[in-house]
Amino acid sequence: MIYDPSLVETYCEYSGEIIKTGSIGYLEQELSDDKTHMTVYELFCAAPGFYDRTPSELRREAQRLGLDTDIFYSEQRVGTLSGGEKVKLRLLSLILGHPDMLLLDEPSNDLDIPTLQWLEEFIKNADFPVIYISHDETLLENTANVIIHMEQVRRKTVPICTVSRCGYREYISRREAARSHQTQVARKEQAEYEKQQEKFRRIQSRVEHEQNVISRQDPHGGRLLKKKMAAVKSMERRFAREHANMTQLPETEDEIFVRFSPEISSSRGKTILDLHLDTLTNKGGELARDIDLHINGGEKLCIVGRNGAGKTTLLRLIAEQLLARSDIKAAYMPQNYADSMDMSLTPVEFLSRTGDKDELTAIRTYLGSMRYTAAETEHDISELSGGQKAKLFFLAMNLDRCDVLILDEPTRNFSPLSGPVIRQALRDYGGTIISVSHDRKFISEVCDRVFQLS
């Protein structure tokens, strides 16, 4: 909307003003179809500033992103590049135009770790505003100096927006401290209110009892009781006003709740994978050589490497082998969810195996714990966010009691609030994990082996 309000006019309304000056570079989260079908050369020809740069300047900018210096003139279709290569090219095309401000929607998606580190330095050293959306906690911690936190509370019916001019760690620390203090004050006030109400109810009950038993022959006593009851009603109104002004429990976006069944485990001595490849190829091109990978039960392994090294290709090959095994229960979470998920199903239909009433009730309970609203459980999966789709994979893996998880970028669509919960669940998981990831917190907190594909 900031970049071009017409991009959201079919589904969004807003009030207020958008005031902007200068040129703006916008990195959308997903490539449009027309750019996907362009060659790399055509993409750069359409980029502002491309023809104003000298060959040496172009080479220098390409080297900064770890791209071939002759990439600008490639006839390769953009859609055939890896996810990380696409992001790099689009960033490079924006930088060439010397923008006055950058708007980046999930710029770290699919970037390899060296390029992530470059992106961090680029954002930190930029001498113009950079507004970006990211689920990468490490990127946020290392670069952000202002946090704009958008939340939906009360089952996603009430929006809250917080602006905090500080770094991400400090913001989270402040947020937790404020929530803790507010919770303590609210509970103390509520406890005092309940004591007050108990005392009030005793007074009210006594006055009502006296009214019921007073003799009609005692008009003076009746008048006194009437005054007492008026005082009681006045007290009740005052307590109601005070209750309305009491400190409320903090309203924040609920963090998801997820954990795998403790019954899921892999035998530590069992060979899960014994893979030997002389070469790894994709569409006729050689990606890697001499791959020798042995994985035992209970290990948590992450495959890392530069974009285009063949990590996803290798993981698909591993998934193909393990999904066919009958001695293990494996599940595969691809980078593109549509490869393994029928987008026309509802979340309940996707998770259901028997369709009986008890199973459907349990599924709706699980979905509730993952912060699905009742309406979202009945929507087609295609209408859900990337994070909501990812949650379905984790729920399915748990319900199916899978003891081997094959995960391609498993944390990429989870918010910074949900990320720690997902990592804790995977850290506690008793089975085997074979993954591809560029999430540095996932690698350091979950994985006990790292396999670098070069």
Side-chain angles (χ1 to χ4, degrees), residues 187-222:
R187 287 177 175 166
K188 182 179 179 181
E189 290 182 2
Q190 182 64 30
E192 292 174 352
Y193 175 76
E194 289 173 359
K195 288 180 182 177
Q196 186 185 63
Q197 285 296 293
E198 185 178 349
K199 183 178 179 180
F200 167 74
R201 284 191 289 270
R202 288 199 302 268
I203 295 171
Q204 184 182 44
S205 178
R206 186 170 64 249
V207 173
E208 288 175 348
H209 175 72
E210 290 175 356
Q211 278 187 323
N212 290 334
V213 300
I214 192 170
S215 170
R216 292 179 181 273
Q217 308 302 319
D218 185 6
H220 176 67

Side-chain angles (χ1 to χ4, degrees), residues 342-353:
D342 185 344
M343 295 292 169
S344 66
L345 298 176
T346 68
V348 175
E349 290 169 340
F350 173 76
L351 295 171
S352 177
R353 300 293 181 265

Side-chain angles (χ1 to χ4, degrees), residues 26 34 54 73 80 142 157 225 311 320 380 393 410 418 448:
Y26 171 53
D34 59 330
T54 65
Y73 309 102
T80 64
N142 292 345
T157 60
L225 284 175
K311 302 183 298 297
E320 185 179 336
D380 287 353
F393 275 102
S418 298
D448 47 42

Side-chain angles (χ1 to χ4, degrees), residues 156-347:
K156 301 183 181 179
T157 60
V158 177
I160 298 175
C161 183
T162 305
V163 179
S164 187
R165 295 187 175 277
C166 64
Y168 180 71
R169 287 183 184 174
E170 184 178 348
Y171 170 68
I172 292 298
S173 178
R174 287 182 186 179
R175 168 188 164 91
E176 292 305 315
R179 287 177 64 183
S180 177
H181 176 71
Q182 186 176 342
T183 299
Q184 288 178 354
V185 172
R187 287 177 175 166
K188 182 179 179 181
E189 290 182 2
Q190 182 64 30
E192 292 174 352
Y193 175 76
E194 289 173 359
K195 288 180 182 177
Q196 186 185 63
Q197 285 296 293
E198 185 178 349
K199 183 178 179 180
F200 167 74
R201 284 191 289 270
R202 288 199 302 268
I203 295 171
Q204 184 182 44
S205 178
R206 186 170 64 249
V207 173
E208 288 175 348
H209 175 72
E210 290 175 356
Q211 278 187 323
N212 290 334
V213 300
I214 192 170
S215 170
R216 292 179 181 273
Q217 308 302 319
D218 185 6
H220 176 67
R223 285 192 296 272
L224 288 176
L225 284 175
K226 190 173 182 180
K227 287 182 180 180
K228 280 186 179 180
M229 182 53 73
V232 168
K233 293 296 183 185
S234 176
M235 190 185 303
E236 186 177 31
R237 290 190 294 271
R238 177 167 59 83
F239 288 160
R241 289 194 299 271
E242 291 175 354
H243 185 258
N245 294 323
M246 281 170 50
T247 303
Q248 301 298 307
L249 287 170
E251 287 191 317
T252 56
E253 187 174 50
D254 292 326
E255 298 164 5
I256 64 170
F257 173 79
V258 61
R259 68 182 178 200
F260 288 92
S261 170
E263 299 173 4
I264 299 175
S265 65
S266 291
S267 173
R268 292 297 186 265
K270 184 181 182 67
T271 295
I272 301 298
L273 182 70
D274 195 15
L275 181 69
H276 304 277
L277 295 176
D278 293 331
T279 59
L280 177 68
T281 60
N282 183 17
K283 296 181 180 178
E286 186 178 79
L287 299 172
R289 296 179 182 175
D290 304 322
I291 294 174
D292 186 2
L293 184 57
H294 185 89
I295 301 174
N296 289 321
E299 289 190 306
K300 296 182 172 73
L301 176 127
C302 185
I303 301 169
V304 301
R306 287 189 173 273
N307 294 124
K311 302 183 298 297
T312 291
T313 301
L314 178 60
L315 200 68
R316 285 176 182 153
L317 183 65
I318 292 171
E320 185 179 336
Q321 290 189 16
L322 298 187
L323 291 172
R325 295 254 298 268
S326 58
D327 60 324
I328 59 174
K329 180 67 174 176
Y332 174 47
M333 179 180 181
Q335 195 173 127
N336 180 10
Y337 300 149
D339 291 347
S340 296
M341 180 180 277
D342 185 344
M343 295 292 169
S344 66
L345 298 176
T346 68

Side-chain angles (χ1 to χ4, degrees), residues 4 8 50 60 65 101 115 145 159-160 167 202 218 226 237 252 261 310 319 343-344 394 409 438 443 446-447:
D4 181 0
V8 301
F50 175 62
R60 187 167 59 251
L65 270 74
M101 178 170 72
T115 310
N145 54 25
I160 298 175
R202 288 199 302 268
D218 185 6
K226 190 173 182 180
R237 290 190 294 271
T252 56
S261 170
M343 295 292 169
S344 66
F394 281 98
E409 296 288 356
H438 298 138
I443 294 170
V446 176
C447 303

